[in-house]
Amino acid sequence: MLRAALRASRPLAASRGPCVRPTTPQGLGGIAPVLPTRSCGLATAPSTVPSTAAAGTTTTTPAATAEGTPEPPKRPLSSFFLFCADLRAKTKTEAAAAGVEPKKLGHKDLKEAWDSLPENEKTSYKTTAQAAFDVYKEEKQAFETAHPELAKKTSKKKKTSM
């Protein structure tokens, strides 16, 4: 009955152009939303290609990195995010030892903990992050020389005057 009311309230798809499906707003009695499509009929959600990972598990990767195409190196975590990972792991182990549910740390809690951290402890995270970033730059340079066709173009477009 709700679907019939929705269909009656929507204009016909043909009046909006070819191959366009309307989206259903979320929260209408449990009706699943429909992904909007481009006018060419392709879904806006990223396509994925299954690939095999370690231990025989399957994961999905973006279609641009199909089988046989190497992955570029990923940028390492900053000093703040290294601290956040350590703090979450520490909170989880303390909660497990106490036999309670671990506290969920929000961004405000993490920022307050980072701000209250002494400068000498921050320095250890900063040096670790800098060392990881130096390794990343070397790996990125090696990847770009080995695969120039996959290297991102970083040139900025000049603004054109009208």
Side-chain angles (χ1 to χ4, degrees), residues 41-64:
L42 298 175
T44 57
S47 62
T48 56
V49 175
S51 66
T52 57
T57 61
T58 58
T59 60
T60 55
T61 58

Side-chain angles (χ1 to χ4, degrees), residues 31-139:
I31 298 174
V34 177
L35 284 177
T37 58
R38 296 183 184 139
S39 61
C40 62
L42 298 175
T44 57
S47 62
T48 56
V49 175
S51 66
T52 57
T57 61
T58 58
T59 60
T60 55
T61 58
T65 59
E67 298 286 331
T69 305
E71 291 278 336
K74 293 186 179 182
R75 191 178 176 113
L77 296 176
S78 68
S79 56
F80 174 71
F81 286 109
L82 287 172
F83 167 74
C84 291
D86 284 350
L87 186 62
R88 285 186 178 117
K90 179 181 170 187
T91 307
K92 192 179 224 181
T93 57
E94 288 175 355
V100 295
E101 189 69 28
K103 178 184 176 189
K104 293 185 180 181
L105 298 172
H107 65 279
K108 289 182 181 180
D109 299 328
L110 294 170
K111 183 188 179 311
E112 289 172 1
W114 176 255
D115 290 341
S116 66
L117 195 67
E119 198 60 41
N120 60 352
E121 290 184 35
K122 282 185 185 180
T123 306
S124 68
Y125 287 108
K126 289 178 182 178
T127 55
T128 304
Q130 186 60 44
F133 189 74
D134 292 340
V135 170
Y136 161 75
K137 286 196 312 190
E138 292 172 4
E139 290 176 353

